[in-house]
Amino acid sequence: MNYMDEFVLKVPVWQLVLGVLSVLFFVYRLAFRPQHLKSPEFYSHKKAKIQKIKKKFFPPPYPNGWIKLTSTADVATGNVKSISALGREFVAFRGKDGKVGVLDAYCPHLGAHLGQGGKVTSEGTLECPFHKWTFRPDGKTDKIPYCRTEVPDRARTKAYHVREHLGMVYVWFDAEEREPEWELEYHKDVADTNKFYYVTMRQMEFDQHVLEM
């Protein structure tokens, strides 16, 4: 009788059976385990874990600060301006109070592009072309036609901080979504129409990174 025969004889049968069943169950789980589908949030670049890795190893692709997004002339009353910049899609429009609003281009309801068929209403809000949701310049949903109760506060889209100076519209961009850290300044005497006057403006388009400008 060798060592293995002696070992088998000393081990109770029920333990051997339990061990074999455990091994078979483990093999079965590996071979036939269900495939759990991961939610879109699992792959989201906004996850805290992903953001932590990006902050440690990668600089932001665009600089934080006030970025000129469009011109005052492009956002005349009643116009909706679609803008692709900073790796994002924006829409700009002028509200009832005359101030420019810049929003995320996609409706938070079903993702319609607000600049493709969207329009500015008589109340100075931006209307979605799909289901007629209307958004104020601050991103809050003003009206939902089929909503019988007060519009919930969570019904909103992302709005950007906007400054309009000297015929140019700027937005605050921050890779970490922080509030503006400094105010946009300019030479106030340039706005004095007694000293300076508007002559002309030229526009050209270039396919280049904002850091190359």
Side-chain angles (χ1 to χ4, degrees), residues 47-84:
K47 287 179 58 177
K49 181 179 179 180
I50 302 300
Q51 291 295 327
K52 185 177 180 179
I53 294 174
K54 288 175 64 177
K55 290 178 185 178
K56 184 176 181 180
F57 296 103
F58 302 98
Y62 302 99
N64 297 333
W66 293 100
I67 308 295
K68 185 204 169 185
L69 204 62
T70 187
S71 301
T72 297
D74 294 329
V75 199
T77 302
N79 288 354
V80 181
K81 176 70 173 177
S82 298
I83 305 164
S84 297

Side-chain angles (χ1 to χ4, degrees), residues 187-199:
H187 294 289
K188 299 297 190 298
D189 58 343
V190 177
D192 187 350
T193 55
N194 293 321
K195 296 180 179 179
F196 301 91
Y197 61 92
Y198 179 80
V199 178

